[in-house]
Amino acid sequence: SEPIIIARGVEKWYGQFQALKGVDMEVQKGEVIVIFGPSGSGKSTFIRCLNHLEDHQKGQIIIDGIELINSMRNIEKIRMETGMVFQSFNLFPHLTVLQNITLAPIQVRKWSTEKAQNKARELLTRVGIPEQCDKYPGQLSGGQQQRVAIARALAKLPTGRP
């Protein structure tokens, strides 16, 4: 079967500094992978390139058959089907846990509030913190915030399944 993610010869520079040097990778549908390495080795930069939060200057990135080029149409399609948990979580401090998780399904997927909240509660149970749904990020520990960020990424349903 066709890989869900293909990276061929991906390169990224910040001025004179080359952060990514010819990265090649294929990920099959349903496969779970880990990207690891020392601090500063380009892990986050590569993942940010996959979501087009960073531009790559050379090489090719294809996600679910969509080539990542500087076309907003392609970028929007890819972002609708991918989720990312940032190192700093990037939760909205003025929104409750439930609101943080339901924002994208309601705004992007056009789900009803009820459907989005049911999915959010299911995901909070899955990550082990269902009782935190009405709290704000500042009221949670770092580990709890990370779980909310994971639930939020999963709530986008990258596979498109309800």
Side-chain angles (χ1 to χ4, degrees):
S1 69
E2 188 70 21
I4 197 85
I5 299 173
I6 301 169
R8 294 185 186 123
V10 176
E11 298 189 6
K12 167 76 179 162
W13 288 268
Y14 295 103
Q16 297 297 313
F17 175 72
Q18 188 172 7
L20 300 176
K21 300 176 184 178
V23 176
D24 293 308
M25 180 185 78
E26 287 191 1
V27 179
Q28 299 298 319
K29 188 171 186 170
E31 184 178 19
V32 177
I33 66 160
V34 175
I35 299 175
F36 67 96
S39 180
S41 64
K43 303 176 300 290
S44 294
T45 299
F46 178 63
I47 292 170
R48 291 176 64 83
C49 285
L50 294 178
N51 267 342
H52 204 268
L53 296 172
E54 295 277 352
D55 290 323
H56 63 286
Q57 284 87 20
K58 203 170 181 187
Q60 183 179 40
I61 297 174
I62 302 169
I63 299 180
D64 200 13
I66 302 168
E67 184 168 0
L68 186 56
I69 56 176
N70 286 331
S71 159
M72 277 313 291
R73 203 170 112 231
N74 281 3
I75 292 166
E76 287 174 7
K77 284 180 188 176
I78 289 168
R79 286 185 181 161
M80 282 188 67
E81 299 302 326
T82 60
M84 181 172 174
V85 178
F86 294 87
Q87 290 175 344
S88 60
F89 314 129
N90 291 345
L91 299 174
F92 295 106
H94 65 290
L95 299 179
T96 66
V97 165
L98 196 62
Q99 292 168 329
N100 264 283
I101 296 170
T102 60
L103 186 63
I106 291 170
Q107 296 295 318
V108 177
R109 298 265 186 219
K110 305 299 183 202
W111 286 8
S112 69
T113 301
E114 180 182 4
K115 179 178 179 178
Q117 286 180 349
N118 287 340
K119 186 64 178 176
R121 290 179 197 285
E122 173 191 319
L123 290 167
L124 286 170
T125 298
R126 191 169 164 191
V127 298
I129 55 167
E131 70 286 352
Q132 306 299 337
C133 69
D134 295 321
K135 291 187 178 176
Y136 290 88
Q139 297 173 299
L140 305 175
S141 71
Q144 290 169 326
Q145 289 180 39
Q146 185 176 41
R147 291 177 190 201
V148 172
I150 291 167
R152 181 180 59 186
L154 292 172
K156 286 183 64 181
L157 296 172
T159 61
R161 293 189 305 264

